Amino acid sequence: MTERKIRAVIFDMDGVIVDSEFVYNQYLLAFAKTKNPAVTMEQINPMVGLSRKDSWSVMAKAVSNGQTWEELRDEFSALDVYSGVNYREIFRQEAMTAAVELKKRGYLVALASSTGPELIARIIEETGMRPFFDLVVSGKQFKQSKPNPEIYHYTAKTLGVPEEECFVIEDSTVGIEAAKRAGMTVAALKDDRFGFDQSLADIHVGRIDEILSYL
């Protein structure tokens, strides 16, 4: 990791602050099996971390029932599975530990998630993380999802911090790529369940609060 002056720390949400990707995949697999009982979790796992189109194209290929990815996405969205998720149960408490210490040290702290603003608001309220964020950004504000770096350029600009003075914690291949393309230092939270390529990250950590030793 190169020596840089870091002024802002930016968290991803799904898979970082909350271990939600595994939970969501259980719902996705159950949905897929209503279309094709032969679908396996191995076929669903690649959906994690992709843009909406790319993710649901994986679903369409897995179920292979003639429905378009848009039709499948809309049908699943109508189920409102997120209302049944207990985010406190899948909250990584060490995210709170890290945020508390980062604020004590004077860093700006932001959240940049591809999730929609309503669900972001619910999750950070339920987990108690909202007071620690100077800025919360949803990927739904932008035309293109990660790995497009737009969300990170916007976050840095709004914070008033140059990209090279931002430190990001991500887990997915596309999230890491987005932050690197924005010129930021990236810590990858290790996760071998979904086949992520985390090789572009500057550092790799097993727990979120390990980032404190690098800042």
Side-chain angles (χ1 to χ4, degrees):
M1 178 178 163
T2 57
E3 289 297 323
R4 293 181 173 184
K5 174 181 171 59
I6 300 297
R7 292 172 51 203
V9 177
I10 307 169
F11 287 81
D12 178 40
M13 186 178 71
D14 287 300
V16 176
I17 290 175
V18 286
D19 188 18
S20 53
E21 290 161 342
F22 177 78
V23 175
Y24 294 162
N25 272 19
Q26 303 297 317
Y27 288 109
L28 289 165
L29 179 62
F31 173 75
K33 283 184 173 294
T34 68
K35 306 293 181 180
N36 180 348
V39 176
T40 66
M41 184 61 86
E42 287 70 29
Q43 291 173 284
I44 297 300
N45 278 340
M47 293 180 70
V48 176
L50 299 180
S51 69
R52 180 167 293 191
K53 178 181 178 181
D54 290 345
S55 179
W56 281 94
S57 294
V58 171
M59 173 67 80
K61 181 179 178 181
V63 301
S64 189
N65 71 339
Q67 286 185 274
T68 66
W69 71 265
E70 295 98 334
E71 290 169 340
L72 290 164
R73 176 205 60 194
D74 292 347
E75 192 175 331
F76 181 78
S77 297
L79 299 175
D80 189 27
V81 300
Y82 302 114
S83 63
V85 179
N86 186 334
Y87 289 101
R88 293 184 187 89
E89 286 186 353
I90 58 174
F91 174 53
R92 289 194 169 105
Q93 188 64 42
E94 59 268 27
M96 179 82 74
T97 303
V100 169
E101 181 61 25
L102 289 168
K103 297 304 293 182
K104 284 182 181 177
R105 297 184 188 181
Y107 290 99
L108 292 169
V109 179
L111 180 74
S113 170
S114 296
T115 298
E118 296 85 4
L119 188 54
I120 289 175
R122 177 188 159 197
I123 292 172
I124 61 177
E125 287 294 337
E126 288 186 9
T127 59
M129 287 292 290
R130 182 63 188 94
F132 301 102
F133 294 123
D134 298 289
L135 176 66
V136 175
V137 183
S138 166
K140 296 298 187 288
Q141 299 173 222
F142 310 100
K143 291 182 179 179
Q144 295 188 340
S145 303
K146 301 172 185 177
N148 187 292
E150 186 177 8
I151 187 172
Y152 282 118
H153 287 310
Y154 173 88
T155 301
K157 182 178 180 180
T158 306
L159 289 172
V161 177
E163 281 91 344
E164 63 270 19
E165 296 181 9
C166 294
F167 182 101
V168 176
I169 180 161
E170 273 275 9
D171 64 322
S172 69
T173 306
V174 295
I176 292 166
E177 182 182 342
K180 288 301 295 181
R181 286 173 63 186
M184 299 177 176
T185 300
V186 183
L189 182 63
K190 297 175 187 175
D191 194 329
D192 59 5
R193 294 172 294 179
F194 308 112
F196 292 148
D197 178 0
Q198 299 183 329
S199 59
L200 288 179
D202 298 283
I203 62 173
H204 298 79
V205 296
R207 288 170 50 95
I208 297 169
D209 50 2
E210 289 177 24
I211 67 171
L212 296 170
S213 63
Y214 296 93
L215 295 166

